[in-house]
Amino acid sequence: MKRIAILGATGSIGTSTLDVVARHPDRFRATALAAHRSVEALAALCERFRPELAVIADPDGEPELRARLVAAGVATRVLAGPDALVEAAAGDHADTVVAAIVGAAGLPSTLAAARAGKRLLLANKEAVVMAGPLLLAALAAGGGPLLPIDSEHNAIYQCLPNGSAGIAGAGVRRLLLTASGGPFRGWQAERLAAVTPDMACAHPNWRMGRKISVDSATLMNKGLEVIEAHVLFGAPADAIEVVVHRQSIVHSLVEYLDGSVLAQLGQPDMRTAIAYGLAWPERIEAGVKPLDLVQLARLDFEAADGATFRCLPLAYAALRAGGNAPAILNAANEEAVAAFLDGRVKFPDIPSIIEETLQKVSHRAVDALDALFDDDLTARRQAQRIIAARFS
């Protein structure tokens, strides 16, 4: 029986994970559930799954969560705050950790799970982007496996002969990350000024939160995935290519030196990758309907438009710069996207804010978590100053 801690239990990854867990009560048990501030949703999950531990990251929600669980007769232990997230990740109540907290807030708990040697199912790409060297060091110290459950990296993992070993010695020419192109695929740059937050969040294929939906629309999500592929699989920037595949059926491909190209195909449903990570090296039923290739009939691919969607080349530039540049990129993006969702900036302003922040914040090596958070805060403040000066 695998005992699973789900960090970000009320989000889309968390609820998909719990769906898979519920299908296999003989194999999995959700022993710890954590959420940011969704008290009502977390309490409902605790009432259903009866975990040993529930964590609300926002301490203001702790009294209400306790009261709801007492009223429901649920004996789950309740903790609150960032340190409690780390305990949920590293404690002995779980052997598997699903890291699905969005943004930099998920970094300490992800590193804690890695250091503790847990089976780490990673959906928080910011932890890899911001702190790749620190994550690799934590994994080496803990000795546990990392299985990416972001669909693209999970696909690459499946297509490599030994996914966790990366491309070294595997005869790989390049990794091909597929992108849906988002809701504005094929648009010219001048049309993007009229994009509203609701338009940007209407992803054509995937159901996601608002921040990641905007990242998909700008292609920043794909840019972060390029950086993530570099860290997870040891691929240089020149060996990672993004191709637009509007059907979202081919989740990524690996091209080998002999001309072979291996691809992982499936419905656009995160439960496939999650089930793979939970059961690996076995395969289990995930509740995903079979793929009907005859009905699908065709698969289309095209080049990504980095000239119109400038976040993608900005991510490549940050990868090549190395050090804390990816962390600066991520922080500036989070601030720019938040400003867009609040109506303070327009959609095309997002890459401009990121580019200027990358230029103005000093670059240095990533060697300690505290210094990295300092850089993250510096980048956020710089982005906020740019937003206030240019768009207020």
Side-chain angles (χ1 to χ4, degrees), residues 13-92:
I13 297 294
T15 54
S16 292
T17 301
L18 288 167
D19 181 86
V20 176
V21 167
R23 293 172 186 276
H24 300 276
D26 58 327
R27 301 181 64 115
F28 308 124
R29 181 170 176 240
T31 52
L33 301 177
H36 180 42
R37 59 166 65 99
S38 301
V39 173
E40 183 177 357
L42 181 58
L45 292 176
C46 290
E47 189 171 353
R48 179 183 177 191
F49 290 95
R50 306 282 168 146
E52 298 172 15
L53 175 65
V55 173
I56 190 77
D58 183 351
D60 291 342
E62 182 179 8
E64 182 184 352
L65 180 59
R66 288 185 183 277
R68 284 179 177 272
L69 295 185
V70 169
V74 177
T76 296
R77 184 164 64 111
V78 174
L79 295 175
D83 290 344
L85 290 175
V86 171
E87 180 172 341
D92 59 8

Side-chain angles (χ1 to χ4, degrees), residues 155-156 159-160 172 174-176 252-256 260-263:
I156 291 171
C159 291
L160 289 172
V172 172
R174 58 179 176 161
L175 308 179
L176 296 155
S252 276
L253 313 93
V254 176
E255 179 182 335
Y256 288 86
S260 299
V261 178
L262 302 187

